Amino acid sequence: PKAIFPSLEVVFVKLISMILTGELITQAIYSISIVIVTMCLSLVIGLMAVAASTSSRYIRVNIELLNATLGPIPGVAVLPFIILWFGISQTSMNLIMIHAMVWPIWLTLMLSKDKLDQKYSKLMRAFKVKSSYKWVHVYLQGMVPDIITALEIAWGRGWRTLLSVEMIFGIVGDQSGLGWLVYERRMYMDTAGML
């Protein structure tokens, strides 16, 4: 039936009309901005966790334990706890997304730092490289490809989490994103708009 399987032409016409009205663009910009902001926060948290893990073996073991237990849990799975503690708000959405993004970022950056340690540790000890110089010129510059990889993984996890959370929360604040758009189109049986 056309209500469930609209033709490609109908979907294309609906796409053009949603772009021309600005509905799709504003909701896409809103969703993308949330993902970018939380991805930057997750990167900062991940870098701080790597620095803390480097400073103490005890901290590293505990962060590894947290990563092993919390990392595999999808962001939407912690949604009930976040709603109980923080309510339905922008803060709750950001916390759920940070949970989804920070673990792959930390793991990728920690593996990158360990790889750089294996490669350059004897050289840095032999030349008595200062800690600040080591972090800026060896670790941060050496981690750039891995930081990009970590951000790609975080983008994928964060994007899925955001759409899921928006479908559940609906409108948080005065704006809505793509997840709410998909949910709203499904609710009104606008399959072409949903697609």
Side-chain angles (χ1 to χ4, degrees):
K2 290 184 179 180
I4 298 174
F5 299 107
S7 67
L8 191 57
E9 295 85 21
V10 173
V11 173
F12 184 72
V13 167
K14 188 66 175 183
L15 173 68
I16 297 299
S17 74
M18 289 172 70
I19 289 173
L20 291 177
T21 61
E23 179 182 23
L24 182 64
I25 293 171
T26 55
Q27 290 178 324
I29 289 171
Y30 177 74
S31 292
I32 290 169
S33 66
I34 288 177
V35 173
I36 290 172
V37 166
T38 53
M39 192 167 54
C40 292
L41 287 171
S42 298
L43 180 62
V44 169
I45 293 168
L47 286 170
M48 289 183 347
V50 167
S53 299
T54 303
S55 66
S56 167
R57 178 79 182 140
Y58 177 75
I59 293 173
R60 179 171 180 159
V61 167
N62 284 306
I63 292 178
E64 284 175 352
L65 176 65
L66 285 173
N67 180 44
T69 54
L70 298 176
I73 298 174
V76 178
V78 297
L79 183 65
F81 297 112
I82 298 293
I83 289 175
L84 282 173
W85 295 332
F86 300 100
I88 297 177
S89 65
Q90 186 70 41
T91 303
S92 300
M93 188 184 315
N94 290 340
L95 286 173
I96 292 166
M97 291 181 60
I98 287 172
H99 163 75
M101 292 180 179
V102 78
W103 302 115
I105 287 176
W106 176 81
L107 184 60
T108 305
L109 296 182
M110 201 66 221
L111 291 172
S112 175
K113 190 227 166 262
D114 289 345
K115 177 180 67 177
L116 291 169
D117 266 344
Q118 289 175 357
K119 196 171 185 180
Y120 297 114
S121 63
K122 290 180 184 176
L123 183 69
M124 289 186 289
R125 273 196 310 262
F127 286 103
K128 295 181 174 72
V129 177
K130 292 179 186 175
S131 181
S132 61
Y133 186 87
K134 184 182 355 179
W135 272 101
V136 172
H137 294 287
V138 176
Y139 292 135
L140 281 180
Q141 289 182 10
M143 284 182 179
V144 169
D146 294 315
I147 288 173
I148 292 169
T149 301
L151 291 176
E152 288 172 353
I153 295 168
W155 176 268
R157 286 189 67 169
W159 191 251
R160 286 190 306 267
T161 302
L162 175 71
L163 292 180
S164 302
V165 168
E166 283 181 344
M167 286 178 165
I168 294 168
F169 276 9
I171 298 174
V172 176
D174 60 346
Q175 285 188 315
S176 63
L178 290 174
W180 178 250
L181 178 74
V182 170
Y183 177 77
E184 191 179 43
R185 297 293 174 222
R186 183 194 62 81
M187 189 170 59
Y188 291 121
M189 275 302 292
D190 181 9
T191 309
M194 187 177 72
L195 293 174

